[in-house]
Amino acid sequence: MDKEIMKLDNVGLIYQSKNGETEAVKNFSLSVKEGDFVAIVGPSGCGKTTMLSIMSGILKPTSGKVFIGGKNIYESKTYIGYMFQKDELFEWRTVWQNIMLGLEIKKQNTSKQQEYAKKLIEKYGLIDFVNKKPRELSGGMRQRVALIRTLVLMPQILLLDEPFSALDFQTRLSVCDDVYNIIKNEHKTAILVTHDISEAISMADKVIVLTKRPATIKKIRKINIKGETPLKRRESPDFSLEFNNIWKELDR
Amino acid sequence: MNKRREISQARQQYLKRQKNRKIFVISMQILIIVLFFAIWQLLASTGVINVFVFSSPIKIVQTFGDLLASGNLFYHIAITFFEALVGFLIATFLGFLIAIILWWNDKLRDILEPYIIVLNSLPKIALGPIIIIWFGAGTKAIIVMAILIMIIITIISLLNAFLACDKDKIVLMQSMGANKFQILTKLIIPNARTEFLSVLKINVGMTWVGTIMGEYLVSKAGLGYLIVYGSQVFKLDLVMTSVLILCLLAGIMYGGVCLIEKLLNKR
């Protein structure tokens, strides 16, 4: 389980725009091991989403390298799952068609892959909704469909970009639990980006605190809170202690 | 919800109110049109308005009958309907195609932007004489006129709809390894379906504007021709009859688009 799956080596990114150059990321080095759940927190506008774009290979850093499973990210064919603030389901497709989207794009829409998709759908309680349109589903269920949509492509790593911020607080807690359980169940490595400290410590084994722009690592904290799920962790007395630690770190 | 339940009394009353409201609206709609023609006829029969200038419903029916008997009616209707339909189809298809090209190529989009804006604000009828010289005084010129009226606004509306697509949805497609063509066909085009339908609805009205305008300029047949001819020889009966037939045709074509909308939304 201790195999290194993702490595960022001295990554930096400078944006060019009409108004000049912006250094968004600087000297960012990180090693993620298989099965890790890493959370990245930082002040808003510090380039957290930029980090995820680099890790997914959509954005090329101006300096440094990104490795997936020991290979350069642009040479490796590994799929990296991406979840957004909104579920980004396509309203004109049914739940099933939404889940099939990635397979259609990759032209892997084989019966074997469909079988796997069906298994996931059944396992996570969506079997009755496969022919429904997304608008007929609750916010939590929509997010679950979005997660399965990425899981059918068998990603090695899941990138989560504040995936719960569009939900109301009540749903957010239960969906957070839900998503966490699915990720752990499927033994996926996950990198979560958020500005919500409590969300980060309730889910992650490792929290990375970023500085203001240009984003660089200020502190890496291992989280050791007892509790098997985010909800249980929130009940632990260590939780608020850890919260204060990171909050102070961010504030400084 | 699937199970049959006993309908509560409040629910029954609500449904009844809704039904009554619908009946009321439809009967008022019918009443208005009946009253309109009745008053028109009454004023004409009593001599309050000059029948020679205002025509009258009875005269319109007579004219309609004459046209029908002479066999000319369907000839004129067919010509105008053909021009309107062809103009509508070509303008919508070409506009769609050009909007896709401009979405695909942002450099081209920047280059052409000022030209599209100028063309959009230009009153297309100003091009009438040029069109007649280039395409001849016939059906071709009329269809070109109709296309010109529709195509620019079609391009602008569809391009804006394409560009309004959520950035995160595009990133999602990219993260799954989609190429630009897949992004276009699986995301950009279906995402713009609402705007596409509203463009269809606008065009189905505009095509009649273009066709009749074209027929005013050049034509030897068609409903626009009948209107111009009728006014020139002061046969207001003919003018009014043609206008009423136009109303009917435009309504039928609009109904067709609404049907397409329903089918698309069902899928």
Side-chain angles (χ1 to χ4, degrees):
Chain A
M1 275 304 258
D2 269 5
K3 225 176 88 194
E4 184 180 70
I5 188 160
M6 177 183 261
K7 190 179 164 195
L8 278 79
D9 189 15
N10 221 0
V11 165
L13 184 92
I14 296 169
Y15 268 122
Q16 298 290 345
S17 74
K18 264 190 224 160
N19 305 323
E21 288 184 332
T22 318
E23 195 173 21
V25 181
K26 195 177 154 187
N27 296 337
F28 198 105
S29 295
L30 176 70
S31 167
V32 181
K33 293 198 172 66
E34 214 171 82
D36 270 358
F37 202 124
V38 179
I40 300 175
V41 293
S44 51
C46 75
K48 288 173 299 211
T49 302
T50 312
M51 281 315 311
L52 286 193
S53 299
I54 291 172
M55 290 178 191
S56 66
I58 292 169
L59 204 63
K60 222 173 177 167
T62 36
S63 60
K65 281 199 172 104
V66 183
F67 297 99
I68 302 285
K71 270 194 202 156
N72 193 317
I73 189 166
Y74 300 104
E75 284 154 26
S76 109
K77 286 260 163 69
T78 334
Y79 168 65
I80 295 162
Y82 207 135
M83 271 184 86
F84 299 86
Q85 299 188 3
K86 286 183 279 165
D87 49 63
E88 304 301 352
L89 296 177
F90 293 1
E91 288 300 334
W92 56 92
R93 284 171 167 247
T94 62
V95 167
W96 173 255
Q97 287 166 333
N98 266 294
I99 288 170
M100 286 294 114
L101 178 71
L103 294 176
E104 279 174 35
I105 289 169
K106 290 190 176 301
K107 301 205 167 67
Q108 294 173 349
N109 206 346
T110 59
S111 57
K112 194 181 139 210
Q113 300 275 12
Q114 287 189 11
E115 213 46 54
Y116 178 60
K118 261 184 214 143
K119 234 164 61 196
L120 285 174
I121 289 167
E122 217 160 312
K123 197 159 155 197
Y124 297 115
L126 287 167
I127 195 76
D128 293 335
F129 301 93
V130 281
N131 290 321
K132 291 247 176 5
K133 288 279 171 70
R135 63 169 171 273
E136 298 171 78
L137 270 60
S138 68
M141 271 182 156
R142 292 175 62 116
Q143 207 52 281
R144 212 185 299 169
V145 174
L147 181 57
I148 291 175
R149 176 179 61 186
T150 52
L151 287 180
V152 288
L153 294 174
M154 304 189 190
Q156 301 250 0
I157 304 169
L158 272 168
L159 304 177
L160 313 171
D161 187 357
E162 306 205 9
F164 315 117
S165 60
L167 303 168
D168 61 84
F169 191 72
Q170 196 64 31
T171 346
R172 190 185 305 180
L173 292 184
S174 66
V175 174
C176 179
D177 238 33
D178 208 28
V179 167
Y180 179 86
N181 286 332
I182 295 174
I183 289 171
K184 282 291 157 191
N185 243 328
E186 304 295 324
H187 308 293
K188 299 293 177 196
T189 311
I191 299 171
L192 166 78
V193 152
T194 179
H195 63 261
D196 185 337
I197 302 171
S198 54
E199 202 167 275
I201 42 183
S202 71
M203 290 179 95
D205 338 297
K206 217 198 252 175
V207 173
I208 294 167
V209 182
L210 294 185
T211 59
K212 283 198 187 110
R213 186 169 269 211
T216 184
I217 296 175
K218 195 187 228 175
K219 179 113 195 178
I220 299 180
R221 263 200 88 80
K222 273 208 170 236
I223 307 290
N224 273 315
I225 302 176
K226 283 191 189 108
E228 275 163 9
T229 65
L231 271 179
K232 288 213 178 102
R233 276 197 186 183
R234 280 174 193 267
E235 287 162 10
S236 159
D238 294 339
F239 188 83
S240 51
L241 232 98
E242 207 55 78
F243 185 95
N244 282 331
N245 275 333
I246 290 173
W247 187 71
K248 273 184 208 144
E249 205 59 62
L250 259 173
D251 212 33
R252 218 170 36 189
Chain B
M1 274 237 281
N2 293 331
K3 279 178 205 155
R4 262 226 167 135
R5 275 185 311 186
E6 204 149 306
I7 300 170
S8 72
Q9 200 151 15
R11 177 81 193 150
Q12 268 175 355
Q13 277 171 354
Y14 170 80
L15 288 174
K16 204 174 174 193
R17 269 202 307 278
Q18 289 294 309
K19 202 179 162 194
N20 285 342
R21 190 178 179 281
K22 206 172 173 187
I23 291 171
F24 177 72
V25 167
I26 292 174
S27 22
M28 283 316 277
Q29 285 168 338
I30 294 170
L31 189 68
I32 285 173
I33 193 89
V34 169
L35 270 181
F36 175 76
F37 285 112
I39 292 173
W40 188 2
Q41 185 57 47
L42 193 75
L43 293 175
S45 304
T46 52
V48 177
I49 55 170
N50 187 347
V51 180
F52 185 64
V53 180
F54 286 95
S55 187
S56 77
I58 287 179
K59 286 245 183 187
I60 288 173
V61 172
Q62 278 169 359
T63 315
F64 187 81
D66 291 345
L67 277 172
L68 205 61
S70 71
N72 277 333
L73 181 66
F74 289 110
Y75 172 64
H76 290 294
I77 288 180
I79 282 186
T80 303
F81 192 74
F82 169 77
E83 287 162 350
L85 190 67
V86 171
F88 170 78
L89 292 177
I90 293 179
T92 308
F93 178 72
L94 269 184
F96 182 65
L97 208 68
I98 293 170
I100 286 175
I101 292 169
L102 292 180
W103 172 82
W104 192 284
N105 193 332
D106 53 344
K107 234 182 255 165
L108 190 68
R109 188 161 75 226
D110 286 351
I111 293 170
L112 293 183
E113 200 190 354
Y115 299 102
I116 291 176
I117 291 170
V118 169
L119 280 178
N120 186 41
S121 35
L122 175 83
K124 286 12 156 234
I125 189 123
L127 299 173
I130 304 170
I131 294 169
I132 295 168
I133 292 168
W134 285 355
F135 294 94
T139 308
K140 231 193 272 172
I142 294 166
I143 292 175
V144 170
M145 191 79 223
I147 292 172
L148 271 181
I149 279 192
M150 285 176 275
I151 196 162
I152 304 290
I153 195 70
T154 303
I155 294 171
I156 293 176
S157 311
L158 288 180
L159 181 59
N160 282 338
F162 291 164
L163 293 175
C165 184
D166 195 340
K167 292 261 169 356
D168 275 352
K169 284 201 170 72
I170 296 174
V171 173
L172 168 80
M173 297 278 290
Q174 285 171 336
S175 80
M176 289 172 164
N179 58 35
K180 205 165 180 178
F181 184 73
Q182 285 174 321
I183 292 176
L184 176 73
T185 53
K186 288 191 194 299
L187 172 61
I188 301 293
I189 291 175
N191 190 52
R193 71 209 178 288
T194 322
E195 285 82 358
F196 183 72
L197 282 169
S198 70
V199 161
L200 281 189
K201 278 185 182 168
I202 293 168
N203 280 355
V204 93
M206 295 294 276
T207 192
W208 293 101
V209 177
T211 306
I212 298 301
M213 238 163 60
E215 285 189 348
Y216 281 181
L217 291 174
V218 283
S219 69
K220 294 171 196 74
L223 291 170
Y225 163 79
L226 285 185
I227 292 171
V228 173
Y229 170 77
S231 69
Q232 277 166 358
V233 298
F234 242 82
K235 271 187 171 170
L236 267 296
D237 304 334
L238 186 59
V239 176
M240 295 293 188
T241 309
S242 307
V243 170
L244 281 181
I245 294 172
L246 258 179
C247 280
L248 228 66
L249 284 182
I252 289 170
M253 206 153 142
Y254 189 83
V257 169
C258 288
L259 211 70
I260 293 175
E261 183 180 16
K262 249 188 196 161
L263 287 175
L264 273 177
N265 282 341
K266 229 182 218 170
R267 262 181 53 213

